[in-house]
Amino acid sequence: MKNLKLSNTKAEGDRTIIRIGELQIGRDLVVIAGPCAVESEDQLLRTAWAVKEAGATMLRGGAFKPRTSPYAFQGLGLKGLKILDKARRETGLPIVTEVIDTRDVSWVSEYADVLQIGARNTQNFSLLREAGKSGKPVLLKRGMHGTLEEWLNCAEYILAEGNGNIILCERGIRSFETYTRNTLDLSIVPAAKSISHLPVFVDPSHGTGVLELIEPMSMAAIVAGADGLEIEVHIDPPSALSDKDQQLTPAAFARLMRKIGILRRTMDTLDDSVQAENEVRGLLQCV
Ligand code: PEP
Ligand code: MN
């Protein structure tokens, strides 16, 4: 792929592992969960405890919301970041939150464990450079109409500033389909993982925008090799100030997490069975 210097797969095959506390992103299966937006201390803390109890490993919540309409809820800003900070102190969950303006990167970095760059800003090159300079891990969404090559070139902007802690996150692309909010492109997961050493996550919430599709697409993402998921969960979805139709209840999220646990164990058994079968084949060839 053209112009990729730092994001492409290394000859030695080393993959990027991002360490946040005890978490090893790129090695452990990481599930980031939480509301679309931080709306109040009560809403965020109750959601944070619920996702933690269900097994989520990181907490998400937007304090700055990139909304299609300037009249829609734009997020609580600094107040939202302070609430996220409190949730981290109480639950111990690391925080993922979006930054939308170059002028905010340095001070938002004081609150965030991972800076999210959203689909609408994936090709905001000044923002990518600032995020690169911050040295913070960056969750880089795929742009709505971004090719794999364009997406990896966005990662190059961050890498070129000396920051290699990048998580790529597929969140659906625009297509002619209108039933789903976006078309979740799961084929990009193994594709990105073969071209690049960076971890690849999937966001089935924005990727489908349809509640019933979030569970099957989460499972499919894991089978496709995703290193993690980012899922919207709200303590009371009908009252959400943004994306209320795609946020899971804590009960639905807990059910999904149980299924993911079983799926992971099944996948491990599959790997063991393939290995055992190969060993038997090897032995048979020797006799
Ligand atoms: C989000 O994760 O809150 C978000 C706005 O997602 P995206 O940038 O993928 O639309
Ligand atoms: Mn959202």
Side-chain angles (χ1 to χ4, degrees):
M1 221 169 243
K2 273 183 269 154
N3 299 324
L4 300 183
K5 290 190 175 152
L6 302 166
S7 62
N8 48 338
T9 310
K10 303 271 175 287
E12 318 80 64
D14 293 348
R15 304 201 62 83
T16 291
I17 307 291
I18 305 170
R19 289 182 172 78
I20 298 176
E22 312 225 302
L23 271 186
Q24 296 192 42
I25 298 172
R27 189 164 284 146
D28 312 324
L29 181 78
V30 170
V31 179
I32 305 168
C36 178
V38 181
E39 298 167 3
S40 69
E41 188 173 310
D42 180 65
Q43 169 250 10
L44 188 77
L45 285 170
R46 284 168 63 210
T47 309
W49 279 115
V51 297
K52 180 175 173 148
E53 266 159 38
T57 34
M58 296 186 85
L59 177 67
R60 65 150 286 148
F64 295 96
K65 296 304 303 172
R67 305 303 300 282
T68 303
S69 162
Y71 313 116
F73 176 60
Q74 304 285 310
L76 297 180
L78 176 59
K79 189 174 166 205
L81 293 172
K82 288 187 171 161
I83 295 173
L84 284 165
D85 190 40
K86 184 165 185 189
R88 172 185 30 217
R89 279 186 276 114
E90 291 197 3
T91 64
L93 292 173
I95 302 298
V96 182
T97 197
E98 184 162 352
V99 63
I100 59 177
D101 192 314
T102 48
R103 294 165 295 186
D104 299 336
V105 173
S106 62
W107 67 271
V108 173
S109 298
E110 289 170 23
Y111 294 89
D113 295 292
V114 174
L115 293 173
Q116 177 167 311
I117 297 199
R120 291 155 190 80
N121 268 316
T122 302
Q123 284 189 311
N124 180 338
F125 302 118
S126 318
L127 186 60
L128 296 173
R129 283 205 173 97
E130 283 306 308
K133 285 184 200 143
S134 77
K136 279 271 158 182
V138 178
L139 184 140
L140 180 65
K141 293 281 189 98
R142 181 182 183 186
M144 289 183 197
H145 48 80
T147 63
L148 178 57
E149 187 171 340
E150 285 164 340
W151 191 18
L152 291 175
N153 270 290
C154 299
E156 290 282 328
Y157 272 87
I158 301 169
L159 282 153
E161 297 295 337
N163 184 354
N165 294 326
I166 303 168
I167 304 162
L168 300 168
C169 183
E170 157 65 20
R171 48 79 70 204
I173 47 176
R174 273 275 161 91
S175 76
F176 52 82
E177 182 54 72
T178 53
Y179 178 74
T180 44
R181 182 174 179 187
N182 292 290
T183 295
L184 189 65
D185 176 14
L186 289 182
S187 64
I188 212 71
V189 176
K193 289 191 71 168
S194 81
I195 306 276
S196 172
H197 54 83
L198 297 171
V200 181
F201 278 35
V202 169
D203 167 355
S205 305
H206 296 88
T208 66
V210 180
L211 220 42
E212 310 79 65
L213 301 184
I214 292 167
E215 184 176 297
M217 288 299 99
S218 298
M219 308 285 273
I222 293 170
V223 175
D227 297 293
L229 299 169
E230 185 179 37
I231 301 175
E232 287 190 339
V233 181
H234 195 288
I235 197 76
D236 177 32
S239 73
L241 297 179
S242 58
D243 287 351
K244 67 180 164 66
D245 298 331
Q246 69 187 35
Q247 305 206 56
L248 294 181
T249 59
F253 178 68
R255 195 182 101 111
L256 169 59
M257 289 300 286
R258 282 198 300 278
K259 281 201 171 183
I260 288 174
I262 297 166
L263 177 65
R264 292 275 293 171
R265 289 197 292 281
T266 312
M267 284 170 73
D268 288 346
T269 324
L270 197 65
D271 286 344
D272 291 348
S273 307
V274 170
Q275 204 181 334
E277 200 180 285
N278 284 343
E279 280 165 18
V280 171
R281 280 192 187 167
L283 285 174
L284 287 176
Q285 271 168 5
C286 293
V287 290

